[in-house]
Amino acid sequence: MVFLNNVSASYDNRQVIRGISMRVNKGSMVGVVGKNGSGKTTLLRLISGIMNPDSGEVFITGKPLKTYARMELARVVACLVQNQDSGVPFSVEELVKLGRWPHRGNSNADHRAIVNEAMVRADVLQFATRPFETLSGGEKQRALIASCLAQEPRILLLDEPTNHMDLCHQLSFMHLLKQLVAKINLTVVVILHDLNMAIEYCDEIHMLMNGRILRSGTPAEVITSESVSACFDTASTIIRNPCSGLPLVIPMHPEK
Ligand code: ADP
C-alpha cells in the first residue's frame, strides 16, 4: 500500500531522513515512534507528498507518488499533521464538509450522510454548529479527524492524533482506528509518543532514530528495554501486560 525505497530527505541541505526503506501493508495499522527530531513528521510529509525526497522513491498503491495528480492523491491519502488547529474560520460541520472536496465531482455519493457519519465516529456531532475556534484542544483534534474521515481515504496518516485528548477519547480514538482498519481495510500510519498505546493498537512499529529506522516489526519484536534505552536514552523495565499479554513499558526515572 505504501512503500518507501531508500528514501532520503533534507531541509536546507541538512539531511534528516537517511535511506529509509519501509513497507506498510493494506489494512494494517503501523506506528512510528522515536525521539523528538528523529524524523517522524518528515516521514509523514514524504508519504503524503507534502515534501519530495532528495533520493529514493515513495510508492502509494504500487504507483510512484510523484505521478499522482493532487486530487487523485487526496482521494487515497488523508493526513492530519500537527498545528492545524488555528485559523480555521468555520463551524465544525463546515470543516468536516471540506473533507469531501476531493470527491465533489462524484454525484453518486451521499456526501451529507458521509459527513454525518464522520462526525458521529469522531464524536463531534454535538459540536456541529459550533465555531471550530471555540472548541477545546482535544475537541478540535476530533473535529479535524472527522474531516479526514469524511475524505474517505484508503490511507490515513496521523501525527500524534491523541495529543490533547483525555484518556477516554484517546482510547476510543485508537479503538475507532482499529475498527476502521478491520472493517474497511483502512491503512493507518500513526506517530505516537505513548509506547504502550502503540504496542496495544499497532500491528507493526517502526522505531526511528536520527532519520534512520532503528527497528521494525511487531510491537513485541521492536519494544524491548534495549531498544527503548538506545532510542530514547531512557532505562525501562518491560513486563507482560496482564490484560493483553503484550509488552508493557515501565520507564525508570533517573533520580529514583
Ligand atoms: P520528529 O517528528 O521526529 O520530531 P521532524 O521530522 O519534525 O522530527 O524533524 C526532523 C529534523 O528536521 C529536526 O532536526 C527538525 O528540527 C528538522 N526540521 C523539521 N522541519 C523543518 C523545517 N521546516 N525546516 C528546517 N528543519 C526542519
Side-chain angles (χ1 to χ4, degrees), residues 227-249:
S227 68
V228 171
S229 166
C231 187
F232 295 97
D233 284 328
T234 302
S236 63
T237 300
I238 313 276
I239 61 166
R240 189 170 175 275
N241 184 321
C243 300
S244 64
L246 292 164
L248 179 70
V249 182

Side-chain angles (χ1 to χ4, degrees), residues 48-157:
S48 61
I50 295 170
M51 185 173 168
N52 295 320
D54 300 337
S55 59
E57 190 146 35
V58 180
F59 296 84
I60 302 289
T61 67
K63 190 174 139 170
L65 176 55
K66 61 179 184 231
T67 65
Y68 275 84
R70 198 161 163 241
M71 286 282 257
E72 184 190 7
L73 188 64
R75 285 192 289 270
V76 182
V77 181
C79 186
L80 179 62
V81 296
Q82 290 195 64
N83 307 321
Q84 279 184 333
D85 62 349
S86 57
V88 177
F90 305 117
S91 72
V92 169
E93 186 171 16
E94 285 163 346
L95 172 74
V96 179
K97 275 185 184 160
L98 282 180
R100 295 299 300 156
W101 71 267
H103 300 280
R104 64 177 185 263
N106 181 358
S107 51
N108 294 324
D110 187 345
H111 299 288
R112 234 189 153 142
I114 294 165
V115 165
N116 202 64
E117 163 113 20
M119 287 197 291
V120 169
R121 283 190 157 148
D123 193 19
V124 292
L125 199 58
Q126 67 273 35
F127 310 127
T129 56
R130 283 262 299 272
F132 175 81
E133 283 301 327
T134 66
L135 302 185
S136 76
E139 292 163 353
K140 280 181 178 166
Q141 191 75 342
R142 277 154 46 209
L144 290 165
I145 283 156
S147 185
C148 283
L149 294 179
Q151 206 176 318
E152 291 193 303
R154 290 159 68 191
I155 301 167
L156 184 55
L157 309 175

Side-chain angles (χ1 to χ4, degrees), residues 11-12 14 16 35-42 45:
Y11 298 103
D12 311 321
R14 195 169 68 86
V16 297
K35 262 186 169 176
N36 295 146
S38 58
K40 304 179 298 297
T41 300
T42 307
R45 286 192 185 129

Side-chain angles (χ1 to χ4, degrees), residues 1 25-28 153-155 177-188:
M1 200 69 183
N25 294 324
K26 186 177 177 182
S28 65
R154 290 159 68 191
I155 301 167
L177 288 183
K178 199 81 191 159
Q179 274 182 326
L180 293 172
V181 166
K183 273 194 201 157
I184 61 167
N185 242 355
L186 185 70
T187 303
V188 177

Side-chain angles (χ1 to χ4, degrees), residues 197-225:
M197 199 73 97
I199 292 168
E200 289 297 316
Y201 286 96
C202 295
D203 302 303
E204 276 189 24
I205 295 177
H206 296 280
M207 190 179 253
L208 248 65
M209 192 169 137
N210 296 329
R212 290 197 172 84
I213 292 184
L214 184 68
R215 281 201 193 189
S216 294
T218 63
E221 285 165 352
V222 170
I223 307 294
T224 64
S225 55

